[in-house]
Amino acid sequence: MDGRLVAILLTLVLPAVLIGVTFEYFGLNPISILVLISVILGGVLYLLSYTDAY
């Protein structure tokens, strides 16, 4: 396995788990959900900025 399956699973599962945990513990604070979504989007944009170096 070259990591693509792990990356796909993390891409789909990790944000869902993070949002679920944040909602469970900080559900009364909508700012925390917005901050988490902002962090996830920032991470996505950071990863998309990588150039392939094969």
Side-chain angles (χ1 to χ4, degrees):
M1 179 165 36
D2 60 357
R4 286 184 289 183
L5 179 61
V6 175
I8 290 171
L9 287 176
L10 285 177
T11 301
L12 297 175
V13 174
L14 188 61
V17 169
L18 287 175
I19 289 174
V21 168
T22 302
F23 184 74
E24 181 67 30
Y25 287 107
F26 306 108
L28 296 177
N29 185 2
I31 301 296
S32 64
I33 301 292
L34 294 175
V35 168
L36 177 66
I37 291 172
S38 300
V39 168
I40 290 172
L41 289 175
V44 167
L45 292 175
Y46 176 73
L47 290 175
L48 286 175
S49 69
Y50 278 162
T51 58
D52 289 332
Y54 291 111

